[in-house]
Amino acid sequence: MKDTFVLDARGLGYDYYNHRIFTLLSDLESFYELLSDNSLGHADGLLLTQKLSIVNKIYASMQGSIESIKILVYIGRLNDAFALARKYYDAVTTDIYQSILTKKEENSFLEDNKNLKDLWNNSVVRAWTYAQQHLYDSRSHNNKGQVRTYEDINNALKELNDNLFKIITDIKSKERKEICNDNMHYNSWDNFVLNINESFDNKIKIKALDDLFENLQIALCYHFAYIYILHPEYYSSSDYIEALEMGVVLETDSQYWVASIVQVIFDRYIKTYNQELSEFILTYKNMKFE
């Protein structure tokens, strides 16, 4: 940030506007834009919901949430940014859980030769998509007595891949999600102060940016890993298809190349944060990283 007009107008200073949070947020926007685009051509959930690629809208919405966080950080409203970061974390959990349930329900239908009407009547994902049930952690009457909690999510994650669950659990143990919750519910007078630009301690703002960065990075590690396990095809580069369309022959296995933003996310935020997770991803050879 070199725009002295913006620096002077907001009064937040050079260190604030050159914080690494702005690079992370821009990378997250590009990442979810890719996921939205790449998931559009897949029929995941179509059998259950009669909607083409429900995750396309999920990722487009998450991209919008990241854009909102970036705007709030840019204008110095960090209390509001933390509240939206908590929302982003919930979106990550919801997307992972619905992906697991979608695969499970669709596979059950194909393997057991169930009647399609019975599938629809008993589908959690379909009911959630049409606002007839909450996906988890709700005791609403709309759930017809069924209550799916965070324990159910953890059990589903363990069943999917126990090793990854242990790695992610260790990573999440380092998060400070309570900071997001505090700002959501104003659990301290300081939470109000984070939304003020006219009079503040710049060190407090920079420390808040550091905390926000770490919370977003942890949520990203969580999401990145499970998307890779559940839908590695969403990470694919467009180079292979574009080359085929132009009649260009690429090298062997080029269809497994990851998109450039996926490689950027892996290099900047996964490898730098947790070596065990990066090694897990590299050994789980769905796609080709550099």
Side-chain angles (χ1 to χ4, degrees):
M1 170 64 68
K2 296 181 180 179
D3 190 331
T4 56
F5 175 78
V6 172
L7 292 176
D8 293 340
R10 286 291 167 191
L12 295 171
Y14 180 87
D15 290 340
Y16 183 95
Y17 281 114
N18 283 276
H19 194 279
R20 57 183 178 160
I21 189 75
F22 291 101
T23 300
L24 170 61
L25 290 169
S26 293
D27 288 340
L28 281 172
E29 274 193 282
S30 298
F31 178 60
Y32 286 108
E33 181 181 15
L34 171 83
L35 293 177
S36 179
D37 290 343
N38 280 5
S39 63
L40 184 60
H42 297 274
D44 305 305
L46 177 62
L47 181 65
L48 299 173
T49 67
Q50 297 175 285
K51 296 179 184 291
L52 182 62
S53 189
I54 60 173
V55 292
N56 163 260
K57 297 297 188 293
I58 292 175
Y59 296 138
S61 173
M62 294 181 75
Q63 181 190 11
S65 294
I66 295 299
E67 181 182 21
S68 297
I69 294 172
K70 186 166 73 170
I71 292 170
L72 290 170
V73 173
Y74 184 79
I75 62 176
R77 308 307 185 192
L78 296 188
N79 167 258
D80 294 338
F82 273 110
L84 275 186
R86 183 65 179 84
K87 179 174 177 284
Y88 167 61
Y89 193 93
D90 286 342
V92 168
T93 300
T94 299
D95 176 54
I96 294 170
Y97 192 43
Q98 71 79 23
S99 289
I100 292 174
L101 290 180
T102 296
K103 280 183 174 290
K104 183 176 181 180
E105 290 181 356
E106 290 186 336
N107 288 341
S108 175
F109 171 76
L110 295 173
E111 292 170 1
D112 300 339
N113 296 316
K114 290 183 177 179
N115 179 278
L116 189 58
K117 186 176 181 180
D118 290 339
L119 174 70
W120 287 350
N121 288 338
N122 295 287
S123 170
V124 173
V125 175
R126 181 180 176 85
W128 169 70
T129 303
Y130 288 97
Q132 296 168 349
Q133 288 188 29
H134 293 167
L135 194 63
Y136 62 91
D137 199 26
S138 172
R139 298 183 182 277
S140 165
H141 63 279
N142 287 337
N143 272 24
K144 302 175 184 178
Q146 301 178 40
V147 179
R148 290 169 296 279
T149 66
Y150 282 101
E151 183 177 355
D152 294 304
I153 296 175
N154 285 336
N155 289 336
L157 296 177
K158 287 179 186 178
E159 184 179 345
L160 180 67
N161 191 296
D162 190 54
N163 288 333
L164 178 58
F165 176 76
K166 291 175 181 176
I167 294 171
I168 294 297
T169 299
D170 181 63
I171 291 174
K172 288 166 65 178
S173 70
K174 300 177 178 64
E175 71 185 353
R176 300 186 62 197
K177 193 165 58 178
E178 74 277 1
I179 296 177
C180 299
N181 292 332
D182 288 344
N183 279 276
M184 175 76 77
H185 302 295
Y186 295 100
N187 290 334
S188 168
W189 173 81
D190 290 336
N191 302 141
F192 284 99
V193 176
L194 284 179
N195 250 23
I196 300 173
N197 294 333
E198 289 74 19
S199 59
F200 68 96
D201 183 340
N202 191 53
K203 292 181 180 178
I204 293 177
K205 287 272 192 178
I206 299 300
K207 175 63 168 59
L209 290 181
D210 291 339
D211 291 337
L212 182 60
F213 181 96
E214 184 169 15
N215 272 276
L216 291 175
Q217 185 175 20
I218 289 172
L220 173 59
C221 287
Y222 178 30
H223 207 192
F224 187 95
Y226 278 105
I227 293 174
Y228 186 62
I229 294 298
L230 290 161
H231 291 288
E233 66 275 12
Y234 293 172
Y235 286 176
S236 62
S237 169
S238 62
D239 293 348
Y240 180 72
I241 298 299
E242 291 172 358
L244 289 180
E245 291 174 348
M246 293 185 295
V248 177
V249 179
L250 295 176
E251 62 185 75
T252 304
D253 292 339
S254 55
Q255 67 268 34
Y256 300 114
W257 290 348
V258 297
S260 58
I261 186 59
V262 174
Q263 188 67 53
V264 166
I265 294 291
F266 182 71
D267 290 340
R268 289 181 179 172
Y269 309 110
I270 309 301
K271 287 199 299 187
T272 59
Y273 192 79
N274 189 282
Q275 183 179 356
E276 189 177 9
L277 178 60
S278 64
E279 290 176 353
F280 174 88
I281 289 172
L282 291 176
T283 55
Y284 206 92
K285 298 179 180 179
N286 285 330
M287 303 293 288
K288 292 183 67 174
F289 289 86
E290 294 178 2

